[in-house]
Amino acid sequence: MKLVRYGTHGSERPALIDADGNLRDLSAHVADIDGAALSPESLAALAAIDTASLPLVEGEQRYGACVGQVGKFVCIGLNYSDHAAETGTTVPPEPVVFMKATSAISGPNDAIIKPRGSTKLDWEVELAVVIGSHVAYADEAEAASAIAGYCVCNDVSERAFQIERHGQWTKGKGCDSFGPIGPWLVTADEVARPNDLAMWLEVNGKRYQDGNTRTMVYKPAFIVSYLSQFMSLQPGDVISTGTPPGVGMGQRPEVYLDVGDRVELGIQGLGTQSQVVVAAD
């Protein structure tokens, strides 16, 4: 299934995309596409619905973040060896873990807000994993079974805040609008090869990132298992798993986003995003 949330910001409704690409409302079956809706039992019930019986949503709609009420937004850094090389670092012997604020989460086509004082606003197309079952101290098999689905994430980053302002990466990763997810969550049963998905990102029509999840060092099931040794994971948690090469910081000379720039990105089978950069109020 392709599960979505549509409508104005803060008032999104749950829905799915049917086999013909139509938007079908799920409000009679679940309150939201959130942790409760992503349990194995709930997903099985949703999959059993005759989609033709669901209300058809017509007209152009805003898509919100594909997961609502996210509890944790965990990210993995330097998880592609070629991306690590372009940043002048090496892949660490264990995953680099950092958090984005859940207030950074936005819809796939919402604006990227350039923070006040930003000078190095960057992009990162990433595969995000969405948790569907409580998991702690899991092996990889248990971790894989806890994955409800996958979605596209743009790990927007402010490199001066991240690297030059001292301390942890959080300052450059958690700003408002720095975590667009969606357009939809594709359930795990429909993503046969999450370790072999083409991914790309363009800025103003120029392609900067053109990679594949097969070059990921630490794979999704391992990442979920690894994280579960340090923190329990709950349904609705989102884990963004790193980016391939081609980020702005890796260009020579470096290239960064400015107000008016358009970023477009996508992952094979998981949909596309499109964002315009605007100035913070």
Side-chain angles (χ1 to χ4, degrees), residues 169-222:
W169 289 2
T170 304
K171 287 183 256 187
K173 294 287 191 172
C175 304
D176 291 356
S177 80
F178 275 24
I181 55 173
W184 39 69
L185 182 157
V186 181
T187 51
D189 61 299
E190 294 193 4
V191 185
R193 302 176 67 186
N195 300 336
D196 189 10
L197 299 174
M199 53 203 309
W200 58 272
L201 183 145
E202 297 177 352
V203 178
N204 299 327
K206 179 178 178 178
R207 184 157 296 198
Y208 283 93
Q209 292 190 274
D210 199 354
N212 193 293
T213 59
R214 64 172 170 261
T215 65
M216 195 184 295
V217 178
Y218 301 111
K219 308 299 185 183
F222 176 86

Side-chain angles (χ1 to χ4, degrees), residues 78 82-84 86-87 121-126 154-155 157 159 162 173 201 203 207-210 242-256:
L78 303 174
D82 36 11
H83 169 58
E86 75 174 346
T87 62
L121 186 62
D122 208 345
W123 57 82
E124 295 187 12
V125 59
E126 303 199 1
N154 186 358
D155 177 15
S157 308
R159 303 300 189 188
Q162 176 189 355
K173 294 287 191 172
L201 183 145
V203 178
R207 184 157 296 198
Y208 283 93
Q209 292 190 274
D210 199 354
T243 197
V247 300
M249 182 173 62
Q251 307 302 309
R252 296 296 178 266
E254 296 176 359
V255 176
Y256 294 109

Side-chain angles (χ1 to χ4, degrees), residues 71-75 97-101 169-170 173-174 231:
K72 290 192 286 297
F73 194 177
V74 189
C75 300
V97 179
F98 62 93
M99 309 286 278
K100 277 184 179 284
W169 289 2
T170 304
K173 294 287 191 172
M231 65 188 83

Side-chain angles (χ1 to χ4, degrees), residues 221-243:
F222 176 86
I223 289 170
V224 173
S225 172
Y226 180 83
L227 290 174
S228 79
Q229 312 306 311
F230 303 98
M231 65 188 83
S232 63
L233 300 171
Q234 283 80 38
D237 286 350
V238 176
I239 304 165
S240 203
T241 60
T243 197

